[in-house]
Amino acid sequence: MIRTALPTDVAAIAALHTRARATYYRGRVPEEEYNGAAELARSREGWARAVGRAPSQGRVFCAERDGEVTGVAAFLTADGETTLTQLHVDPAHWRRGTGAALHAACLDAWRRAGIERVRLEVYGHNLRAQAFYASHGWRPDPADTSSGTHRTLWLRVPRASGE
């Protein structure tokens, strides 16, 4: 089930986020940067802000199975640009369609809001995520010459069938 995140979900979302990040940061980034006490507190605060945003500024969706939060997706719209800021699935629930269902919920929200183009940044070493996004139509911006640890991808939001 995909639903809008609630304030009571923040602790579960932050814990899931940490587990997911560990899968692609482990061995590449110092553990305290994704799993230390200060980072966990920062993560909870960030998720609380995201969950509390007005719907016109973005949304946070949770995937839930048997009462457990198994995935999360969040996007932010600011200054006329929409960014998919997070999409994480608990590693224990990979390959079950959770990420695709969360992505579909975001697409539906973007269509209803009239959003035509969305951006995201993905960690360069996270090839699994990059393959997922490519399979859902996300493409690198050929004009993007950024360097560093993340790649920027863009998606033209497809119109709903029958439009």
Side-chain angles (χ1 to χ4, degrees):
M1 171 177 69
I2 305 298
R3 62 175 174 77
T4 299
L6 303 170
T8 54
D9 296 318
V10 168
I13 291 170
L16 179 152
H17 183 198
T18 298
R19 288 189 301 277
R21 290 173 75 199
T23 64
Y24 52 87
Y25 282 155
R26 188 174 287 124
R28 291 178 165 66
V29 173
E31 186 172 355
E32 61 274 3
E33 289 187 27
Y34 63 85
N35 199 24
E39 178 57 21
L40 292 173
R42 190 186 72 74
S43 179
R44 279 189 208 101
E45 289 171 15
W47 281 109
R49 279 192 309 277
V51 168
R53 279 194 288 251
S56 63
Q57 296 173 322
R59 301 279 301 272
V60 178
F61 294 111
C62 284
E64 184 180 303
R65 184 182 191 106
D66 299 326
E68 176 187 3
V69 175
T70 60
V72 63
F75 66 89
L76 172 67
T77 299
D79 301 322
E81 183 173 278
T82 299
T83 303
L84 178 63
T85 57
Q86 307 282 346
L87 196 156
H88 301 285
V89 175
D90 191 311
H93 294 272
W94 283 354
R95 309 293 301 165
R96 298 183 189 179
T98 304
L102 286 163
H103 190 267
C106 291
L107 278 174
D108 185 53
W110 297 330
R111 283 186 192 112
R112 281 186 276 119
I115 295 166
E116 297 178 357
R117 190 170 186 234
V118 181
R119 70 180 291 278
L120 68 78
E121 290 184 7
V122 61
Y123 183 57
H125 290 287
N126 192 348
L127 301 180
R128 176 184 243 281
Q130 290 179 50
F132 171 85
Y133 292 124
S135 75
H136 286 84
W138 294 82
R139 300 291 178 255
D141 184 343
D144 183 16
T145 59
S146 65
S147 61
T149 61
H150 288 73
R151 297 184 64 204
T152 301
L153 303 177
W154 292 89
L155 176 71
R156 290 244 174 246
V157 176
R159 294 178 186 247
S161 304
E163 282 187 29

